[in-house]
Amino acid sequence: METTLRGVGVSHGVAIGEVRHMGTAVLEPPAKQIAADEAEREQGRARQAVEAVSADLMARGQLAGGEAQHVLEAQAMIATDPELMSDVDRRIVVGSTAERAVYDAFASYRDLLAGAGEYMAGRVADLDDVRNRIVARLLGVPMPGVPDSDEPYVLIARDLAPADTALLDPALVLGFVTEEGGPTSHSAILARALGVPAIVALPGAGEIAEGTVIAVDGSTGDLFVEPTAEKRAELEAAAAERKAALAASSGPGATSDGHKVPLLANVGGPADVPAAVEAGAEGVGLFRTEFLFLDDSKKAPSEEKQIESYRKVLEAFPEGRVVVRVLDAGADKPLDFLTPADEPNPALGVRGLRSLLDHPDVLRTQLTALAKAAEGLPVYLEVMAPMVADRIDAKAFADACREAGLRAKFGAMVEIPSAALRARSILQEVEFLSLGTNDLAQYAFAADRQVGAVSRLQDPWQPALLDLIAMSAEAAKAEGKSCGVCGEAASDPLLACVLTGLGVTSLSMGSASIPYVRATLAKYTLAQCERAAAAARAADSAEEARVAAQAVLSGE
């Protein structure tokens, strides 16, 4: 009998197929004591395993390329973290085996961060995955992963680590469902990049029996167990309709009555540019420069290396707009040369622009590199600061840009509620705003963006979040300036219409989402988008907001 479950849809499309479950990873090795004269040997085993796992993650990243490569390279850095390895060595000296020392060191690190209120932002699955890979190698057992199958299937897992998600074969894995995770987790972001329908934060999905036929709607978050023939036909027809709309959609983003909404791409570096160009991106709305800095946590990349990387992205969009976010370090992206090591809660500490203002040489070098990279290019360069809290922050950033001789528009990201509340004040110092909806939701609702238990508060349809977005857009309009969205909210086609109705002037997203958003926007007038936005803001929950907006746009 057909039953329906609902999670959080994070990657568009419909997948219908039999269930295959992800293998359970090695969790806890046996506790055994070793003799003192065995410690050096065990330390050597631990180092070899760590180096092998790090190399494997780097190799997987090179195979995957693009966004996935950046994610996996960051994960490889977790494996070789000096503090973790020192802890492993200490545990071995007092009698632990290599595998037990690794397990306990990672557990201690994880508990310490959780107890301090650490903002893990997608790193829980990453941390566990690295630990399990090292322990599995030390025990000499295979690391359970994506199941072997000659036939296409729908994958169900408790959670998916980036190393597994990045190399999924879309020809075999029709879609996937996870019990944990959230809309901004690495697995969700990579699913969109792969174009695989996906649902996350669906408790109980793991209880669905192997081989059961299910239908996954990655747009709505609905999972249908043993769908009827009628339901399958309905879903397949909807998917075919969406595919036809995508094929017919091209050109700049706009509503059906010609209101222009530039559709831009989120990129992490030159490797992401081809997909953005292929999707018809009108430019880059978020160039995450921190991936360049994560190559070496001990020191900043040279000015020459930065110029080379930035110029490759700028050259890809002649006459286009490229919005660069300066280094956003801290919290889940610590850098030894920049971020404090002893903060009780890094997410609420010296992060983003705060770190850069404490290290003006790092900011100056990056701004100078951007200025030199743009020389002679017909590109519209815009540079923005992350984690701006008030006008004082905005002025400090704008002054730094001018001192570096940067010929570009200067902007501020709205990720902290105070910035939305005082947007008009901030706009006295900068020329545009860009809403980072992932962090804005996290800080507005005090809800870690990767904790499944609070995923409803990370839903970008939350009316309170829409209020903050509207407040920012209204302030920008009053000042005659622009206000874009570069968070994952922009990748939801229906929500893109609502954001347009709220007054947002551009939308930036993962490249794979651009055709879906373009096709959906083209179906509605600006007035319809405005009515949908008003209906969503009048609701009392994210689900009610989504339903209300859909009703307006469908003419119900």
Side-chain angles (χ1 to χ4, degrees):
M1 185 177 76
E2 179 183 303
T3 57
T4 304
L5 303 174
R6 170 162 285 187
V8 178
V10 295
S11 183
H12 308 298
V14 171
I16 302 174
E18 292 188 0
V19 167
R20 294 288 183 274
H21 287 279
M22 188 82 166
T24 302
V26 176
L27 292 178
E28 185 170 1
K32 293 193 300 186
Q33 286 293 110
I34 61 169
D37 60 0
E38 296 180 73
E40 187 175 344
R41 183 198 67 190
E42 291 296 291
Q43 288 174 334
R45 288 181 64 229
R47 281 191 292 274
Q48 288 175 357
V50 164
E51 288 166 5
V53 167
S54 178
D56 178 60
L57 290 169
M58 293 291 283
R60 285 169 177 258
Q62 290 171 357
L63 281 173
E67 179 87 15
Q69 182 170 0
H70 301 310
V71 171
L72 289 172
E73 286 176 352
Q75 195 180 15
M77 288 177 62
I78 296 174
T80 55
D81 181 88
E83 287 190 22
L84 272 171
M85 285 312 300
S86 294
D87 192 12
V88 169
D89 283 341
R90 284 193 297 270
R91 291 173 186 276
I92 290 173
V93 167
V94 296
S96 286
T97 61
E99 47 266 40
R100 187 71 206 190
V102 167
Y103 179 86
D104 289 339
F106 271 77
S108 177
Y109 183 57
R110 191 175 191 243
D111 291 345
L112 177 65
L113 296 179
E118 167 68 24
Y119 161 45
M120 298 195 70
R123 299 307 187 266
V124 175
D126 302 25
L127 191 67
D128 289 346
D129 183 61
V130 171
R131 176 201 65 201
N132 291 336
R133 289 177 187 278
I134 297 171
V135 170
R137 184 171 288 271
L138 286 165
L139 291 174
V141 300
M143 175 71 184
V146 177
D148 258 341
S149 177
D150 296 328
E151 298 297 324
Y153 59 90
V154 178
L155 180 64
I156 291 182
R158 182 183 62 81
D159 205 344
L160 282 172
D164 295 313
T165 313
L167 297 182
L168 290 179
D169 181 355
L172 282 177
V173 182
L174 303 172
F176 70 76
V177 181
T178 65
E179 294 189 273
E180 298 183 1
T184 60
S185 65
H186 280 153
S187 54
I189 292 169
L190 295 180
R192 286 188 284 271
L194 289 166
V196 177
I199 297 174
V200 300
L202 203 165
E207 298 172 13
I208 300 173
E210 187 95 358
T212 303
V213 173
I214 63 172
V216 172
D217 189 333
S219 300
T220 65
D222 289 330
L223 183 154
F224 303 93
V225 181
E226 296 181 342
T228 63
E230 291 78 12
K231 176 57 71 175
R232 293 177 67 155
E234 176 188 326
L235 290 170
E236 287 167 350
E241 183 181 341
R242 282 196 288 261
K243 188 174 182 180
L246 291 180
S249 174
S250 61
T255 58
S256 63
D257 57 341
H259 175 72
K260 292 182 179 179
V261 187
L263 303 181
L264 312 171
N266 295 342
V267 305
D272 295 337
V273 167
V277 173
E278 185 179 351
E282 298 169 59
V284 172
L286 173 62
F287 180 0
R288 302 183 184 97
T289 60
E290 60 268 20
F291 289 117
L292 181 62
F293 286 76
L294 289 171
D295 286 345
D296 184 351
S297 68
K298 300 294 184 185
K299 62 181 180 181
S302 67
E303 182 180 303
E304 292 71 25
K305 184 175 181 180
Q306 292 187 54
I307 292 171
E308 180 184 5
S309 180
Y310 302 152
R311 194 170 180 88
K312 286 178 182 176
V313 176
L314 297 176
E315 286 175 337
F317 295 95
E319 305 295 336
R321 176 187 179 199
V322 176
V323 184
V324 178
R325 179 177 70 190
V326 294
L327 177 60
D328 183 15
D332 64 309
K333 293 170 286 193
L335 294 171
D336 294 347
F337 66 89
L338 195 69
T339 48
D342 56 352
E343 289 187 299
N345 192 336
L348 303 179
V350 183
R351 178 189 170 189
L353 180 61
R354 299 168 187 175
S355 293
L356 293 175
L357 294 178
D358 279 353
H359 296 80
D361 54 323
V362 176
L363 177 58
R364 189 182 308 111
T365 299
Q366 184 171 25
L367 294 174
T368 302
L370 283 166
K372 291 181 179 179
E375 284 178 0
L377 296 180
V379 66
Y380 296 95
L381 174 63
E382 302 184 12
V383 182
M384 61 185 180
M387 302 299 291
V388 170
D390 57 15
R391 184 173 178 173
I392 294 172
D393 279 352
K395 183 179 188 305
F397 178 66
D399 288 346
C401 289
R402 294 187 191 98
E403 289 169 11
L406 191 61
R407 293 186 177 183
K409 284 187 175 182
F410 317 141
M413 291 199 70
V414 178
E415 301 165 284
I416 303 172
S418 65
L421 293 167
R422 301 289 293 171
R424 198 159 181 179
S425 171
I426 287 171
L427 284 165
Q428 304 310 304
E429 304 295 342
V430 296
E431 297 173 81
F432 69 93
L433 300 177
S434 183
L435 288 139
T437 53
N438 306 343
D439 271 322
L440 185 57
Q442 173 174 245
Y443 291 122
F445 295 104
D448 188 311
R449 34 189 258 186
Q450 182 54 31
V451 175
V454 294
S455 62
R456 75 172 185 86
L457 297 172
Q458 267 295 327
D459 192 322
W461 281 93
Q462 283 286 352
L465 182 63
L466 299 181
D467 288 343
L468 291 171
I469 294 170
M471 194 177 294
S472 303
E474 288 162 6
K477 183 177 180 181
E479 293 295 327
K481 297 179 179 181
S482 63
C483 177
V485 167
C486 63
E488 289 300 315
S491 65
D492 179 336
L494 180 61
L495 185 51
C497 295
V498 167
L499 294 173
T500 299
L502 292 174
V504 166
T505 56
S506 66
L507 299 167
S508 189
M509 65 208 76
S511 299
S513 297
I514 291 175
Y516 290 92
V517 172
R518 182 192 294 119
T520 305
L521 266 179
K523 292 164 60 177
Y524 305 108
T525 65
L526 175 59
Q528 285 176 299
C529 292
E530 289 172 340
R531 289 197 294 274
R537 288 183 69 187
D540 290 319
S541 71
E543 181 59 24
E544 288 176 11
R546 185 184 290 106
V547 170
Q550 181 66 69
V552 169
L553 294 177
S554 61
E556 295 176 7

